[in-house]
Amino acid sequence: MANIASARKRARQAVKRNLHNSSLRSRLRTAIKSVRKAILAGDKAAAARTLQSAQGVIDRIADKKIVHKNAASRYKSRLSAAIKSMS
């Protein structure tokens, strides 16, 4: 445990920040799962609508640097490709 007051405060802030970032990361994963679920259901129009809403979530979380911008771009690209390949 930290002995200096500023180090104790930093430790408290790190815990709070970790909880916040974890919830955002969870929201990202949920958005991605919802698109994948729509793709598996086979409804291309519904999957496209779900991707539209998920892209906003993915971009916002990338802007906050919870995930790298290239990783966010990769997620969107793969989901979009999966929707395009639906018959």
Side-chain angles (χ1 to χ4, degrees):
M1 183 65 196
N3 291 324
I4 298 170
S6 60
R8 284 196 296 265
K9 181 178 179 180
R10 269 290 169 206
R12 286 194 310 270
Q13 289 175 331
V15 169
K16 191 188 290 189
R17 190 169 50 250
N18 188 303
L19 285 172
H20 184 252
N21 290 346
S22 295
S23 71
L24 291 176
R25 204 172 298 114
S26 175
R27 191 180 303 166
L28 169 77
R29 290 181 183 136
T30 303
I32 292 170
K33 281 181 202 170
S34 67
V35 177
R36 287 188 180 139
K37 191 174 177 183
I39 291 169
L40 286 175
D43 187 2
K44 191 171 185 176
R49 281 194 306 273
T50 311
L51 177 63
Q52 280 292 330
S53 62
Q55 280 179 334
V57 172
I58 293 169
D59 285 334
R60 278 194 302 277
I61 291 172
D63 286 342
K64 293 176 177 148
K65 297 188 171 87
I66 307 299
V67 294
H68 196 274
K69 62 185 172 102
N70 292 356
S73 180
R74 186 175 64 243
Y75 292 141
K76 293 189 300 184
S77 175
R78 287 180 180 170
L79 291 171
S80 177
I83 290 173
K84 284 181 183 175
S85 69
M86 291 173 72
S87 57

